[in-house]
Amino acid sequence: MSRTILCFGEALIDFHSEGSDAFGFPRSFVPFAGGAPANVAVAVARLGGHAAFAGMLGEDLFGDFLLDSLRRAGVDTASVARTGEANTALAFVALDAHGERSFSFYRPPSADLLFRPEHFQADSFREASVFHVCSNSMTEPALAETTREGMRRARAAGALASFDLNLRPALWPRGVDPRPLVWPALQLADVVKLSAEELAWLAVDGEQAVLDQLWEGHTRLLVVTDGDKSLRWFHPDAEGELPVYAVPAVDTTAAGDAFVGGLLLQLGTLDAAPDRLDRLVTELPRLHATLRFAAACGALTVTRQGSFTAMPDEAEVLNFMETYA
């Protein structure tokens, strides 16, 4: 049985717009539990894996809602801390006709930014097969160092470190270039997931420069998604392309997180520890099956509204893959 997939960072309330008035503004917003790393934890739990979430929630109504939502989804919340010094983060999400989203964040200040290394529980790392983070926990210097410290502790415990860039420019201070700030975490990760847009954003000196910089660190697998276009994968000694699933999109909010959840669950099931990741990547049928499973998780998620609520279970994913084979 695979060990825990521990996801660290923000959990927040996604307020999704519903309806519009005569001027095109939303008539109302409906709250959904969300936050990229929290979404990944829920995706893993819904698929039958053992997931845990580490982060800071406010001692407020929204923090209560998120904690309850995580627990109801089957996520271990023993590593969740609470604070009365800041409120839980909020995000307002508007969708266009194609289900593509735009965000308005109410952060900072927010509780998730106050998590520090002392809030990590040592047992969490000993039990983890994967430690997953994204760049949203790197927008504030102390929290960025906390994120990197978590990655270092995970690697020292023998767990895979996973990083999904999941870039949200609106979360970064005005005038700050996130590139030099996210690169140290990218190079600490064994597994990196980018969107095609994020790869282009990083590639100021070309794609090969991005790859070279990743291989100088710990990265052994890079996966680049591009909506319903073929995904690309890279390893220092190999690379490839794989078709995914084209489905009508209702809400793309958590699609990337569902993809990552499916990917990490499969890697955990295969016991793809850092010293065994190279062998997995060179076994192409197994790698392709892992990526196709992750792609099916993402495709199913875009057909539903919400974040936690949109995540499929394993039976749904397997049935979907059989239907679209």
Side-chain angles (χ1 to χ4, degrees), residues 172-310:
W172 291 83
R174 186 172 298 177
V176 170
D177 180 4
R179 291 177 187 86
L181 302 175
V182 300
W183 263 114
L186 283 165
Q187 291 185 303
L188 279 170
D190 301 285
V191 178
V192 172
K193 186 265 181 188
L194 303 173
S195 69
E197 294 84 358
E198 289 165 347
L199 176 57
W201 175 79
L202 282 172
V204 290
D205 296 316
E207 281 191 9
Q208 189 57 50
V210 174
L211 296 173
D212 291 342
Q213 198 164 347
L214 287 173
W215 309 150
E216 288 172 3
H218 295 286
T219 308
R220 309 308 290 168
L221 177 62
L222 165 65
V223 181
V224 180
T225 59
D226 193 10
D228 60 7
K229 300 185 179 74
S230 294
L231 64 81
R232 302 161 67 197
W233 62 266
F234 301 85
H235 176 270
D237 299 321
E239 62 183 71
E241 196 168 304
L242 199 66
V244 295
Y245 303 92
V247 295
V250 173
D251 182 355
T252 63
T253 301
D257 303 325
F259 179 97
V260 172
L263 174 63
L264 297 183
L265 177 71
Q266 292 293 296
L267 292 177
T269 301
L270 294 169
D271 197 22
D275 59 348
R276 291 189 286 275
L277 190 56
D278 281 326
R279 187 176 65 181
L280 168 65
V281 174
T282 58
E283 295 174 352
L284 291 186
R286 184 174 293 183
L287 174 64
H288 287 176
T290 296
L291 294 173
R292 288 283 286 175
F293 182 87
C297 294
L300 263 173
T301 301
V302 304
T303 65
R304 306 164 177 178
Q305 188 177 19
S307 298
F308 288 14
T309 55

Side-chain angles (χ1 to χ4, degrees), residues 5-16 31-55 57 65-67 69-77 80 89 91 93 101 103 105 132-134 136 162 164 166 168 171 193 251-265 294 297-298 301-302 304-313:
I5 295 174
L6 174 61
C7 302
F8 169 69
E10 91 278 9
L12 50 76
I13 305 296
D14 285 328
F15 282 96
H16 288 248
F32 288 89
N39 290 340
V40 173
V42 171
V44 171
R46 286 279 289 162
L47 291 167
H50 189 261
F53 177 74
L57 300 176
F65 175 67
L66 284 167
L67 190 62
S69 297
L70 286 164
R71 288 172 174 167
R72 287 178 183 271
V75 175
D76 183 339
T77 59
V80 173
V93 186
R101 67 272 192 266
F103 296 91
F105 292 99
H132 174 70
V133 301
C134 73
N136 295 349
S162 165
D164 177 7
N166 194 46
R168 297 287 179 265
L171 288 177
K193 186 265 181 188
D251 182 355
T252 63
T253 301
D257 303 325
F259 179 97
V260 172
L263 174 63
L264 297 183
L265 177 71
C297 294
T301 301
V302 304
R304 306 164 177 178
Q305 188 177 19
S307 298
F308 288 14
T309 55
M311 300 299 175
D313 62 32

